[in-house]
């Protein structure tokens, strides 16, 4: 046994390094690259929200809060869930404030998974579902989604992945990296399968407010689903608050109780300053969200138009702030494409494979940038694409 | 005013140089729709001009801006409109607002020097029959104007790549 194996936990050492990390190292060597690779808003947190955070510091509110978070914040979240989704959560026992949505994902897995339980993970999707499943002794079962379905999860795909050990289904919509959404009909089509197979759902709705085709619908709003769904959301994307690390989970009392227990021992409570800011966001931030959503929507159309002009096929995504064009025509891997684009045109775009093997042949383009930035970067991409076509 | 016109205004209020083609792209419509909307907004007088935000402090051209509070005697049947008109017709006057509170009209004025502005106030403004009193405030520094912060924008400090 080598020294390293003794020193470190095998489970952790065995985790695949994040594909995005590898690309990040490449990019950081490139000083003057322009990027379309960011997974966070370009807006600053609206001033009134920042101001509440500052005020809470001035007032000396620098203590711990209760483990589950400030009661006023949980009440605001309950009110938000009621007015946007029509779901009634008890702020006492059914809502937990976490350090970003990502903590809530980790907590849900650790609260529910017994060794060997299977977690169904549609892919491409956010980078943490698989490793968090493994760390919780679960078995990740990925469901490769298809471009022709606009990367929505189809009932037959779900059915085919279910085994007697299936326990949790991750529903990451609106989706990072594809920008896909699951509309009401799409969800309706899988609800019965979920209930019949006694699955629980981790519904990661962090991009819920950034939906461009009507209002976001949560799976938890369907009859019989609130009881089997842990709804994860947060402030990062909707209110441009990534650095505040503010997320939350809403769900059945018995699951939340165990999640809270882990949170209590491992984290204690989410940052107090951020919690005060988050209260302000929910109370007076609707206008900001609407304004940012409109901006993203305009950029989304701009990017889609540019891709169409350069002839890169891409389904029209209706959520988050990503588009996921297909580059299969060039016969190179996503990673090679991204690496060449970076060295030759100095544009950083994340290869689709950073979000799972089924992202092969695609790129994730983030449009959390000003139109000017998008124009410059897409101009270079267009030049690159033309050159590649000339080579073939 | 319809939805499209409202959205067009939202865009060109921030950047009046944006092309009609680009506005059409980002709003998901045809360029002709944008051209028509702009024309209609101009005809209705909703769009009154396309100006440029200039930070004159960064040039070597001397300019002073003053805010002048003016108290006036309103005239029977005409209220404040006539006196306002007499004031706004001076080309050096930038804006004239009717204000609630301690005084009646707020006049902003641009001149090349303090002297020039003072002489306008003393020789032209104060001497109008209906003007009771004036109080002149010179602007020392503009931090934000027309919703635009004058300080240089900070560079994007986000990591280049994040999941």
């Amino acid at each position: 046994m080598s020294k390293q194996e003794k020193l470190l936990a095998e489970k952790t050492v065995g985790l695949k390094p994040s594909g995005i990390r590898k690309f990040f190292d490449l990019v950081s060597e490139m000083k003057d690259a322009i990027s379309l690779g960011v997974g966070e808003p370009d807006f600053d947190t609206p001033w009134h929200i920042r101001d509440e955070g500052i005020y809470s510091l001035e007032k000396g509110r620098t203590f711990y809060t209760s483990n589950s978070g400030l009661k006023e914040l949980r009440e605001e979240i309950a009110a938000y869930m009621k007015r946007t989704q029509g779901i009634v959560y008890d702020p006492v026992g059914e809502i937990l404030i976490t350090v970003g949505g990502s903590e809530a994902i980790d907590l849900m897995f650790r609260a529910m998974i017994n060794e060997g339980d299977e977690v169904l993970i549609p892919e491409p999707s956010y980078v943490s579902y698989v490793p968090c499943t493994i760390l919780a002794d679960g078995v990740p079962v990925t469901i490769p989604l298809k471009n022709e379905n606009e990367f929505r999860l189809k009932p037959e795909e779900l059915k085919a992945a279910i085994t007697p050990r299936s326990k949790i289904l991750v529903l990451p919509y609106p989706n990072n990296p594809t920008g896909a959404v699951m509309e009401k009909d799409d969800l309706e089509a899988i609800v019965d399968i979920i209930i019949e197979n006694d699955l629980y759902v981790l519904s990661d709705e962090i991009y819920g407010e950034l939906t461009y085709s009507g209002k976001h619908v949560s799976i938890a709003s369907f009859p019989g689903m609130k009881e089997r769904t842990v709804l994860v959301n947060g402030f990062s994307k909707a209110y441009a608050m990534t650095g505040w690390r503010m997320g939350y989970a809403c769900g059945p009392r018995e699951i939340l109780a165990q999640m809270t227990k882990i949170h209590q021992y491992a984290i204690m409570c989410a940052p107090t300053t951020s919690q005060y800011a988050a209260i302000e966001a929910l109370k007076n931030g609707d206008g900001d969200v609407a304004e940012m959503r409109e901006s993203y929507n305009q950029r989304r159309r701009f990017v889609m138009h540019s891709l169409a002009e350069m002839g890169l096929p891409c389904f029209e995504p209706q959520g988050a702030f990503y588009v996921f064009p297909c580059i299969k025509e060039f016969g190179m891997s996503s990673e090679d494409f991204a690496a060449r684009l970076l060295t030759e045109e100095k544009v950083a775009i994340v290869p689709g494979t950073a979000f799972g093997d089924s992202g092969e042949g695609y790129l994730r383009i983030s449009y959390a940038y000003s139109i000017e930035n998008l124009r410059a970067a897409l101009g270079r991409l267009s030049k690159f694409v033309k050159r590649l076509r000339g080579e073939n | 005013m319809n939805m499209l016109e409202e959205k067009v205004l939202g865009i060109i209020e921030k950047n009046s140089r944006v092309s009609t083609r680009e506005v059409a792209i980002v709003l998901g419509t045809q360029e002709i729709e944008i051209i028509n909307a702009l024309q209609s907004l101009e005809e209705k007088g909703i769009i009154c001009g396309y100006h440029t935000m200039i930070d004159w402090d960064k040039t070597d051209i001397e300019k002073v801006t003053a805010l002048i509070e003016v108290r006036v005697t309103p005239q029977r049947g005409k209220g404040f409109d006539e006196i306002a008109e007499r004031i706004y017709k001076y080309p050096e006057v930038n804006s004239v607002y009717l204000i609630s509170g301690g005084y009646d009209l707020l006049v902003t004025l641009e001149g090349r020097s303090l002297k020039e502005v003072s002489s306008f106030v003393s020789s032209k403004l104060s001497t109008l029959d209906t003007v009771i009193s004036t109080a002149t405030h010179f602007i020392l520094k503009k931090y934000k104007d027309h919703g635009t912060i004058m300080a240089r924008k900070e560079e994007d400090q986000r990591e280049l790549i994040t999941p």
Side-chain angles (χ1 to χ4, degrees), chain A residues 218-232:
Chain A
S218 172
I219 186 116
S221 66
F222 287 81
M225 284 308 300
K226 187 198 156 192
E227 297 83 335
R228 47 179 70 251
T229 302
V230 172
L231 190 166
V232 171

Side-chain angles (χ1 to χ4, degrees), chain A residues 249-264:
Chain A
C250 306
R253 201 172 288 278
E254 59 273 32
I255 302 175
L256 266 279
Q258 299 310 314
M259 289 171 64
T260 307
K261 202 200 290 173
I262 305 168
H263 174 77
Q264 170 193 332

Side-chain angles (χ1 to χ4, degrees), chain B residues 42-58:
Chain B
E42 283 167 16
E43 276 164 10
K44 285 185 274 192
I46 294 173
I47 294 177
C48 323
Y50 300 88
H51 303 293
T52 306
M53 282 284 308
I54 299 169
D55 188 351
W56 287 103
D57 289 350
K58 293 200 178 99

Side-chain angles (χ1 to χ4, degrees), chain A residues 188-205:
Chain A
E188 203 142 43
I190 60 169
V191 161
D192 289 344
I193 304 170
I194 292 168
I195 295 175
E196 278 160 23
N197 290 280
D198 196 22
L199 297 178
Y200 283 77
V201 174
L202 169 67
S203 187
D204 185 347
E205 302 178 22

Side-chain angles (χ1 to χ4, degrees), chain A residues 27-92:
Chain A
V27 171
S28 48
E29 286 163 28
M30 199 71 67
K31 285 275 174 302
D32 45 353
I34 52 178
S35 177
L36 296 180
V38 164
E40 61 177 322
D42 60 318
F43 298 103
D44 296 331
T45 307
W47 177 250
H48 65 103
I49 298 173
R50 283 187 273 163
D51 200 33
E52 273 310 304
I54 294 166
Y55 181 71
S56 81
L57 289 175
E58 284 177 347
K59 280 280 171 187
R61 292 171 184 159
T62 52
F63 36 73
Y64 294 127
T65 69
S66 78
N67 295 130
S68 43
L70 289 168
K71 180 133 186 282
E72 192 186 353
L73 177 54
R74 283 178 278 133
E75 283 165 353
E76 285 297 334
I77 290 168
Y80 169 80
M81 281 301 163
K82 189 154 180 250
R83 78 170 181 267
T84 57
Q85 297 296 334
I87 318 172
V88 178
Y89 286 107
D90 184 351
V92 182

Side-chain angles (χ1 to χ4, degrees), chain A residues 240-303:
Chain A
M241 290 179 72
T242 44
W244 299 78
R245 309 310 303 124
M246 265 286 100
Y248 57 89
C250 306
R253 201 172 288 278
E254 59 273 32
I255 302 175
L256 266 279
Q258 299 310 314
M259 289 171 64
T260 307
K261 202 200 290 173
I262 305 168
H263 174 77
Q264 170 193 332
Y265 288 129
I267 302 287
M268 191 81 165
C269 69
T272 305
T273 312
S274 305
Q275 293 193 48
Y276 281 106
I279 293 171
E280 171 65 17
L282 284 173
K283 274 187 172 163
N284 298 308
D286 285 1
D288 303 301
V289 176
E291 219 172 279
M292 290 190 270
R293 178 170 45 231
E294 173 63 22
S295 272
Y296 288 130
N297 198 6
Q298 293 181 5
R299 296 154 176 199
R300 183 182 66 98
R301 296 196 190 105
F302 182 82
V303 174

